[in-house]
Amino acid sequence: MTHLNANELSQVFEREFHATPRVFRAPGRVNLIGEHTDYNEGFVLPSAIGFYAYVAIAPRTDDKVVLKSSEYDGQFEFKASRLPELKQGAWSDYVLGVARQLSQAGLSIKGANLLVHGEVPVGAGLSSSAALEVASAMALQSLAGEVLPLKQIAKLCQNAENQFVGARVGIMDQFVSCFGKQGHAVLIDCRSLDYELVPIPPDLDFVICNTMVKHELSGGEYNQRRAQCEEGVRILSQFSPEIRALRDVSLEQLRKHQADLPAIVFRRCLHVVQENERTLQAVQAFRSGNLPLLGSLMQDSHQSLRDLYEVSCSELDAMVEAAQSLPGFVGGRMTGGGFGGCTINLVRHAETERFAAEVSARYRAKTGIVPDIFVCSAANGAGAEAEHAAV
Ligand code: GLA
């Protein structure tokens, strides 16, 4: 993939559209712990990472919205005053879905040229789609002359994905793409949308290891996990009407009603209830500098995702195993929705290079696949790029 900075993107825009754009960007994310808890109104602990989606935008004098990408050929054209109601099955859906949401929120979508550039690896589980949604929302609202509260931006980007694109994702990815902070993880309460910044020790790097596999079943399996959680809530709320989401269920309550739940639903619920608890404990571990505890919580999280929630796969398990006991390793687990994608490892900075080389060699020896390894740290959330006069 070609990497363009905002200035270079402006120059490409000028060549394509003969106008000077404003450029907005929003990051992808990695989740440290709290997996499959967001749509259960629980807790998550992601960080934004320094891979961004960029959207350059300038107004047009007519009613057309024209979308181009720096990576893909061709362009999409729509009427600003009559945006399509159905998805088209292309990357443009993320931008369109957001435009429709903004318009439903009362913003006027006007004729505009947009050029999109993505540096978040696509299909790796690092939320390239949320990054594109949030950057698009920032860009489109700038032309409407309004600034919506960031929480509303996060919500409406999630709605775009739920309603227009058709994936029933939770709020985590869009939220942290908006609120990420350099050097910090973000503890999000996915019910209230309150959040806290949790400092990450400066000598720890994120080493993100891409298994390079994405099992096709993931879309359907994700929605099925959600449905199983909803089934658990439906049954448990018959005994305790105050239960509105798995967030409200204690471990004792769950164990007491084990026999009332289908075995598979019980396992899914057990993962969610314990994962919420682990996420809060991980925040304490970060705050008190208890890195061994953090490491064991991440390990438990992975095992639970593998055995109870059943969203891991042999490649993710091999990648997690490959990291064990390497010098500098603090903790690691699969990250994101699962069925492929990446693991996240917290690694002491002094050992990062060696760790990256070793984990890659071990994974390759086990699976025959050469992984991509990204070394990064927690980055800031979405915003406007400084104005660039393209030269
Ligand atoms: C995907 C979704 C998130 C979240 C994770 C699992 O990344 O987009 O909302 O549910 O899976 O934690």
Side-chain angles (χ1 to χ4, degrees):
M1 178 191 316
T2 37
H3 280 276
L4 297 175
N5 63 31
N7 201 13
E8 289 161 345
L9 187 65
S10 290
Q11 289 173 28
V12 176
F13 190 99
E14 294 213 351
R15 278 203 300 278
E16 295 279 346
F17 294 118
H18 312 293
T20 304
R22 290 189 71 194
V23 180
F24 297 83
R25 68 175 196 177
R29 65 96 189 91
V30 71
N31 190 19
L32 304 185
I33 196 163
E35 215 66 83
H36 289 278
T37 45
D38 61 351
Y39 52 81
N40 290 300
E41 301 188 15
F43 300 98
V44 292
L45 190 65
S47 288
I49 52 175
F51 294 108
Y52 291 85
Y54 293 85
V55 176
I57 190 166
R60 289 176 64 102
T61 48
D62 59 14
D63 185 43
K64 273 192 213 162
V65 175
V66 178
L67 304 182
K68 270 179 173 282
S69 149
S70 66
E71 282 107 1
Y72 304 104
D73 289 339
Q75 66 179 39
F76 295 90
E77 279 192 28
F78 309 100
K79 271 183 108 152
S81 54
R82 197 136 51 80
L83 293 168
E85 284 173 20
L86 292 177
K87 67 173 176 181
Q88 330 236 312
W91 62 266
S92 53
D93 288 342
Y94 297 101
V95 187
L96 263 184
V98 167
R100 287 181 57 84
Q101 285 289 327
L102 286 169
S103 145
Q104 280 165 29
L107 266 67
S108 88
I109 301 297
K110 303 198 176 88
N113 292 321
L114 287 87
L115 177 65
V116 167
H117 175 63
E119 57 181 30
V120 187
V122 172
L126 300 176
S127 297
S128 57
S129 47
L132 177 54
E133 288 154 10
V134 173
S136 301
M138 298 273 170
L140 289 164
Q141 76 164 354
S142 77
L143 282 199
E146 282 193 53
V147 180
L148 296 176
L150 262 188
K151 278 187 191 171
Q152 192 178 348
I153 298 264
K155 272 300 296 175
L156 63 81
C157 288
Q158 181 202 11
N159 288 344
E161 193 148 343
N162 289 172
Q163 295 165 19
F164 194 72
V165 181
R168 294 188 68 205
V169 295
I171 187 72
M172 167 167 70
D173 307 346
Q174 292 80 4
F175 195 98
V176 73
S177 185
C178 288
F179 287 95
K181 175 101 178 130
Q182 191 175 6
H184 292 76
V186 186
L187 171 67
I188 308 167
D189 177 334
C190 298
R191 168 168 281 168
S192 66
L193 296 190
D194 289 339
Y195 71 99
E196 265 175 53
L197 296 177
V198 181
I200 296 174
D203 72 320
L204 290 189
D205 286 338
F206 295 163
V207 183
I208 298 172
C209 304
N210 189 353
T211 60
M212 314 303 276
V213 302
K214 189 87 206 160
H215 293 284
E216 278 309 320
L217 32 107
S218 58
E221 293 274 353
Y222 184 92
N223 289 347
Q224 193 193 64
R225 294 299 180 284
R226 282 198 71 147
Q228 288 163 337
C229 292
E230 285 160 8
E231 168 82 346
V233 170
R234 194 183 60 72
I235 296 170
L236 292 167
S237 65
Q238 289 167 7
F239 300 96
S240 311
E242 75 283 1
I243 292 174
R244 288 189 288 126
L246 288 182
R247 157 69 172 274
D248 302 311
V249 179
S250 69
L251 192 54
E252 295 68 42
Q253 264 174 326
L254 183 61
R255 291 214 186 277
K256 189 169 145 207
H257 291 292
Q258 179 165 0
D260 300 306
L261 296 166
I264 196 167
V265 171
F266 174 76
R267 289 205 301 279
R268 306 302 190 234
C269 294
L270 185 58
H271 165 74
V272 173
V273 169
Q274 291 181 322
E275 183 79 353
N276 273 329
E277 196 49 45
R278 279 192 287 268
T279 304
L280 296 175
Q281 282 175 7
V283 170
Q284 291 314 314
F286 267 121
R287 292 206 188 282
S288 62
N290 189 344
L291 297 184
L293 174 61
L294 185 65
S296 82
L297 291 165
M298 290 177 83
Q299 180 171 331
D300 292 349
S301 169
H302 184 80
Q303 285 172 2
S304 176
L305 288 159
R306 186 189 63 198
D307 302 336
L308 297 176
Y309 218 67
E310 295 178 280
V311 291
S312 188
C313 60
S314 60
E315 295 88 352
L316 280 168
D317 295 342
M319 193 72 92
V320 163
E321 239 169 69
Q324 300 299 322
S325 73
L326 286 178
F329 174 71
V330 168
R333 52 184 285 282
M334 58 157 276
T335 185
F339 304 107
C342 295
T343 65
I344 166 73
N345 300 277
L346 299 178
V347 181
R348 293 201 186 275
H349 182 67
E351 302 286 354
T352 296
E353 242 174 76
R354 221 169 96 195
F355 177 92
E358 269 292 308
V359 88
S360 173
R362 285 183 177 188
Y363 179 74
R364 186 182 181 174
K366 182 87 192 256
T367 62
I369 304 171
V370 180
D372 279 345
I373 311 280
F374 311 108
V375 176
C376 56
S377 52
N380 283 329
E385 286 287 305
E387 304 283 338
H388 295 278
V391 280

